[in-house]
């Protein structure tokens, strides 16, 4: 009963380094999302994917790229990390066509860029 | 664009008492979903309760209930018989239904930090 799995849970990067956050869901959901959470800001949408092979920008996409590798996996890449990208990142998935519309979240990744 | 406002950054309540968290939102849509999520110190986002705008009856889940006032665009969460495990950040969230090109993503308020005191 895994739900949404994110890796890693914690990461420290130096400015300019790159990394990829991995996310996988086992609920056969079409839609997947990446959010970032900053103190006092709530969660904000970075990118989303409505289905395999499609991705679109959300509210705060600058500095990020995403890949919807298949129906299960949706990764978020930071090409050149900046201190402003220090945040907690959440992956989520949902069945947008179902009667019980609900988003399921991963456990989050705390990323620190120094 | 839709916005969600939580006007109480922090609240506290004594164990076993009742507390109400406020949320207002702005939208021109007639049908939508509203949610309350709980985020304990573990960081996990946990769905507490969901309300569909076309349903007039307020949603309830055990000790959690909402007061949904559609005309006023208000969606408050009432926690009865507060327990120490209710200590968490609570987020109100809005979602448009999928028809009409909605992304299906959640729009969150900034959160209310609730502390339950023994």
């Amino acid at each position: 009963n895994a739900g949404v799995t994110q890796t890693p849970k914690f990461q420290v990067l130096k400015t300019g380094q790159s990394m990829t956050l991995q996310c996988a869901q086992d609920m056969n959901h079409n839609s997947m999302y990446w959010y970032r959470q900053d103190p006092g800001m709530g969660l904000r949408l970075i990118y989303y994917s409505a289905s395999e092979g499609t991705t679109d920008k959300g509210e705060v996409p600058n500095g990020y790229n995403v890949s919807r590798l298949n129906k299960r996996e949706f990764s978020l890449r930071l090409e050149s990390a900046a201190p402003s990208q220090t945040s907690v990142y959440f992956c989520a998935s949902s069945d947008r066509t179902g009667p019980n519309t609900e988003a399921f979240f991963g456990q989050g990744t705390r990323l620190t860029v120094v | 664009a839709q916005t969600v406002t939580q006007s109480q950054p922090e609240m506290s309540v004594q164990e076993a008492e009742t507390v109400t968290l406020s949320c207002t939102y702005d939208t021109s849509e007639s049908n939508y979903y509203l949610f309350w999520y709980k985020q304990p110190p573990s960081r996990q986002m946990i769905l507490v309760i969901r309300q569909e705008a076309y349903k007039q009856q307020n949603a309830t889940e055990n000790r959690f209930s909402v007061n949904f006032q559609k005309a006023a665009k208000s969606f408050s969460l009432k926690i009865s018989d507060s327990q120490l495990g209710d200590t968490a950040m609570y987020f109100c969230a809005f979602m448009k239904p999928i028809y009409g090109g909605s992304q299906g993503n959640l729009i969150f308020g900034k959160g209310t930090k609730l502390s339950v005191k023994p």
Side-chain angles (χ1 to χ4, degrees):
Chain A
N1 195 12
V4 179
T5 303
Q6 280 182 244
T7 56
K9 290 185 172 52
F10 300 93
Q11 184 71 49
V12 178
L13 288 179
K14 294 182 178 179
T15 297
Q17 286 186 320
S18 63
M19 79 161 295
T20 299
L21 280 63
Q22 306 287 352
C23 175
Q25 52 93 8
D26 61 2
M27 295 172 282
N28 201 37
H29 288 163
N30 285 314
S31 298
M32 298 186 73
Y33 309 87
W34 277 105
Y35 294 89
R36 62 177 287 173
Q37 181 182 15
D38 301 296
M41 295 294 293
L43 281 75
R44 293 179 292 170
L45 183 68
I46 305 172
Y47 270 93
Y48 72 100
S49 171
S51 62
E52 182 179 351
T54 67
T55 62
D56 282 288
K57 296 178 180 179
E59 180 184 354
V60 288
N62 291 343
Y64 306 96
N65 286 300
V66 290
S67 296
R68 184 73 182 269
L69 304 171
N70 47 56
K71 192 170 186 178
R72 289 187 65 248
E73 299 173 289
F74 188 39
S75 62
L76 178 72
R77 183 162 178 82
L78 287 70
E79 291 290 352
S80 179
S84 61
Q85 294 178 304
T86 293
S87 188
V88 178
Y89 292 86
F90 285 95
C91 177
S93 71
S94 71
D95 177 6
R96 296 166 62 218
T97 59
N100 296 315
T101 304
E102 176 184 343
F104 294 83
F105 286 81
Q107 291 182 301
T109 298
R110 180 175 292 280
L111 174 66
T112 302
V113 183
V114 298
Chain B
Q2 287 76 27
T3 58
V4 177
T5 302
Q6 294 179 249
S7 59
Q8 305 149 316
E10 293 192 39
M11 295 189 71
S12 65
V13 64
Q14 292 295 130
E15 195 174 7
E17 294 188 345
T18 295
V19 64
T20 299
L21 280 57
S22 300
C23 173
T24 59
Y25 58 94
D26 187 24
T27 184
S28 59
E29 302 287 334
S30 59
N31 194 22
Y32 44 86
Y33 300 93
L34 294 164
F35 304 85
W36 279 97
Y37 277 88
K38 170 185 178 181
Q39 186 181 46
S42 67
R43 207 166 64 204
Q44 182 69 44
M45 293 290 286
I46 302 165
L47 178 66
V48 174
I49 201 164
R50 170 180 51 229
Q51 176 80 41
E52 294 163 62
Y54 68 86
K55 291 186 177 179
Q56 293 184 338
Q57 186 173 4
N58 289 327
T60 62
E61 288 287 344
N62 300 315
R63 298 182 295 108
F64 298 88
S65 62
V66 297
N67 183 4
F68 173 48
Q69 301 289 328
K70 190 172 184 179
K73 296 180 182 176
S74 171
F75 183 61
S76 60
L77 175 69
K78 185 171 81 171
I79 305 174
S80 303
D81 185 26
S82 297
Q83 300 176 0
L84 296 178
D86 295 334
T87 292
M89 185 74 94
Y90 287 81
F91 291 99
C92 179
F94 172 99
M95 185 173 71
K96 286 168 56 176
I98 62 168
Y99 57 80
S102 166
Q103 302 168 356
N105 62 293
L106 292 160
I107 299 167
F108 287 89
K110 294 183 178 182
T112 296
K113 185 177 182 180
L114 177 67
S115 299
V116 180
K117 301 185 184 303

